[in-house]
Amino acid sequence: MSSDIAIRVSTLGKRYEIYETPRDRLLQMLMRGRKQYFREFWALRDVSFEIKRGETVGIIGRNGSGKSTLLQLICGTLNPTVGSIEARGRVAALLELGAGFNPEFTGRENVYLAASLYGLTHEAITSRFDQISRFADIGDFIDQPVKTYSSGMFVRLAFAVIAHVDADILVIDEALSVGDAFFVQKCMRFLRSFMKQGTLLFCSHDTGAVVNLCNKAILLNQGKVDLIGAPKDVTDRYLAKLYECDQEIDGRGKLCVDDEVADDGWAQDDYKDARHDLINASTLRNDIEIFRFDPEQAGFGTGGAAIVSVRILDRTGAPLARLIGGMDVILEIRCKAREEISRPIVGFQFKDRLGQVIFADNTYITYQYAPPHIEASAELRARFEFRMPILPSGDYSISVALADGSQESHVQLHWLYDALIVTVHTSSICFGLVGIPMRRITLEGV
């Protein structure tokens, strides 16, 4: 294997034998393969890819697509039925909760047990134990049996161990989703530091995290590789597959819309940034250019309707080609029904160049109890009135969608990627995803 390859997976497959009854399993043993009493289930089949040293790779896919099985095969906790896996360097993994821990042992004893499995000597573990304990931050529970731990404490201790075993390759499953926000941020800081020299492979349903963290992504579908490529392309394909496979409609509504929900006025008790005039008179003014709507952009859906226009308007309804961050604007989405729509939902996602969703919304909550009924060939217009955030310089896109159903269960009629492209030429923001207007900023000696 080339020295710049960390993981190579070749024609990998994992088969399980599914028996209807314990009797069938016994008969299979007695027949010694002369007759088959089971049905085959291939969790993975013909999976091949390479991961280079220093790459961060996300694995995404629907539940049951084979993600966890693949990670376990790479870590060596499962053996492949066919194919091969080569991994160069020490592999440390955080898979299902408590994997590798003995529930009867204390946290301290499990630290020694788990770290020794990664090849550390007793002396090396002792020298790092205080660091592991501080990272886990579970206090006196370190000397309690882990069977008394909550799921969050399991994750804390397990992650603390893999963070201190000098791994060359880290494999992370969805386990971090159970940690509290402060601990997850601590883990992310460690992972970002590790990514500078190590190889990271992780599984997540969070497409924003995949796009933000990864150099490459792998989409699994029914045990096979569907796509390997740039994270944004792969996550877009994943979302399309997700909606294609989930086309149920919940057509029942109840009660009526609350008259107080709709408010045509703009907020009266308002303020502007204390530096507004100064910034707008300087080269730091948040100048935003809006490019023309492109109906030919990639998308997906059943074709029951089409999005025909997306515009950003000012408060009077006039179309804008340029605006300044902090302005009150209207995002208008016009659609044409090709078939009857009983419960329309129109929404949008405002994304940065990495595909991270900066903000998003849809019409469902406002109209969930009294949705407008749209006849075939009729037109539909949705308007979202909001204040455009102060944005860092760079390129952004707005994806829009029209669905029929409920928030939880709907048919995607038309989803249009990158319907509008927005370029921010200048900005006063140094850090962060968006800027918040400051009512007042003071600095004084006390």
Side-chain angles (χ1 to χ4, degrees), residues 194-214:
F194 175 83
M195 287 161 53
K196 295 176 182 178
Q197 74 279 339
T199 304
L200 177 62
L201 180 63
F202 81 102
C203 166
S204 177
H205 285 103
D206 185 347
T207 56
V210 172
V211 172
N212 184 30
L213 290 174
C214 297

Side-chain angles (χ1 to χ4, degrees), residues 282-357:
S282 73
T283 58
L284 300 179
R285 188 177 69 178
N286 200 209
D287 287 330
I288 302 173
E289 182 178 6
I290 307 164
F291 292 87
R292 188 179 297 273
F293 167 69
D294 184 4
E296 302 302 321
Q297 280 292 340
F300 62 91
T302 65
I307 296 166
V308 296
S309 172
V310 181
R311 302 187 299 173
I312 295 180
L313 317 173
D314 67 16
R315 290 175 58 173
T316 68
L320 293 171
R322 301 183 74 93
L323 61 94
I324 299 172
M327 279 181 57
D328 291 328
V329 297
I330 302 168
L331 174 64
E332 180 190 81
I333 303 170
R334 289 180 176 266
C335 312
K336 175 81 170 181
R338 294 172 178 157
E339 60 188 32
E340 183 180 1
I341 308 174
S342 60
R343 295 174 61 83
I345 305 172
V346 180
F348 72 94
Q349 293 181 341
F350 194 103
K351 303 180 182 179
D352 67 9
R353 67 179 184 83
L354 294 176
Q356 295 182 102
V357 178

